[in-house]
């Protein structure tokens, strides 16, 4: 897999049936290593290692319903009260981050109501803070580090 704009992390890999698997510390299992999964695993490690979010607050690839359609979010981080603090949309490195990608995470967030959004393809990262009162998001340089509230 290609290098991403994240620090180098020490991932666990295994090969089975001519496929490479990467260990997902959140799901506690090996998953097939696809380009989007490579990005997702870097994001999770970054959030845990650099931003200090507890891994126990992170959830990966769960289903939600948006406009009666079943969708899957990539990563969410819950705060201690159980509401969603951060919603992350991961794309493969070859996928350009466009307005369409922001529209996708915005639709998901209509239901999830996360305070912060991250959109990344592993090379380009965008961070936003929601302004629910004005129905917009404001771009940030980064999301805040974890802090107990």
């Amino acid at each position: 897999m290609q290098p991403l704009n994240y620090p180098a992390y020490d991932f666990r890999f295994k090969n089975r049936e001519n496929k490479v698997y990467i260990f997902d510390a959140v799901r506690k299992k090996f998953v097939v290593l696809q380009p989007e999964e490579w990005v997702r695993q870097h994001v999770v490690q970054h959030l845990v290692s650099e931003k200090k979010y507890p891994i126990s607050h992170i959830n990966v690839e769960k289903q939600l319903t948006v406009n009666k359609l079943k969708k899957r979010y990539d990563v969410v981080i819950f705060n201690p009260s159980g509401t969603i603090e951060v919603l992350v949309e991961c794309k493969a490195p070859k996928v350009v981050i466009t307005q369409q990608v922001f529209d996708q995470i915005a639709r998901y967030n209509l239901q999830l109501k996360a305070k912060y959004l991250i959109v990344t393809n592993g090379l380009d990262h965008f961070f936003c803070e929601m302004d629910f009162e004005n129905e917009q998001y404001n771009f940030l340089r980064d999301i805040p580090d974890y802090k107990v509230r």
Side-chain angles (χ1 to χ4, degrees):
M1 289 284 152
Q2 78 179 82
L4 301 176
N5 286 334
Y6 284 104
Y9 296 111
D10 190 22
F11 294 112
R12 291 173 42 205
F13 300 95
K14 75 176 184 179
N15 291 300
R16 188 173 69 212
E17 301 171 3
N18 294 326
K19 291 183 183 174
V20 177
Y21 291 76
I22 188 168
F23 187 76
D24 182 323
V26 174
R27 291 179 272 187
K28 296 181 174 57
K29 68 179 185 176
F30 282 92
V31 294
V32 175
L33 181 57
Q34 301 285 348
E36 185 177 313
E37 189 63 44
W38 183 236
V39 173
R40 183 173 19 257
Q41 292 306 315
H42 277 80
V43 169
V44 168
Q45 286 304 310
H46 178 74
L47 291 168
V48 171
S49 300
E50 271 66 57
K51 298 307 217 166
K52 305 303 181 199
Y53 284 89
I55 199 163
S56 61
H57 292 201
I58 299 175
N59 205 323
V60 175
E61 280 219 306
K62 295 289 182 188
Q63 185 173 293
L64 73 150
T65 303
V66 178
N67 296 326
K68 300 181 184 175
L69 299 172
K70 292 188 186 313
K71 302 289 183 180
R72 292 183 83 76
Y73 61 71
D74 286 311
V75 179
V76 296
I77 302 174
F78 293 94
N79 62 35
S81 70
T83 59
I84 296 175
E85 183 81 0
V86 182
L87 172 61
V88 183
E89 180 61 32
C90 300
K91 296 295 183 189
K94 69 178 183 181
V95 176
V96 177
I97 305 298
T98 62
Q99 183 63 50
Q100 188 175 5
V101 176
F102 279 99
D103 292 346
Q104 177 186 359
I105 198 171
R107 280 191 305 274
Y108 290 4
N109 206 41
L110 287 173
Q111 180 168 344
L112 298 174
K113 307 267 190 263
K115 183 174 182 177
Y116 298 101
L117 306 178
I118 300 173
V119 177
T120 182
N121 62 5
L123 304 173
D124 298 313
H125 320 295
F126 297 92
F127 309 96
C128 305
E129 181 175 17
M130 292 303 302
D131 177 352
F132 290 106
E133 188 175 311
N134 294 308
E135 298 181 347
Q136 65 185 24
Y137 43 81
N138 299 310
F139 285 93
L140 305 172
R141 293 175 63 110
D142 202 348
I143 62 163
D145 291 351
Y146 177 78
K147 56 184 170 280
V148 180
R149 290 169 180 77

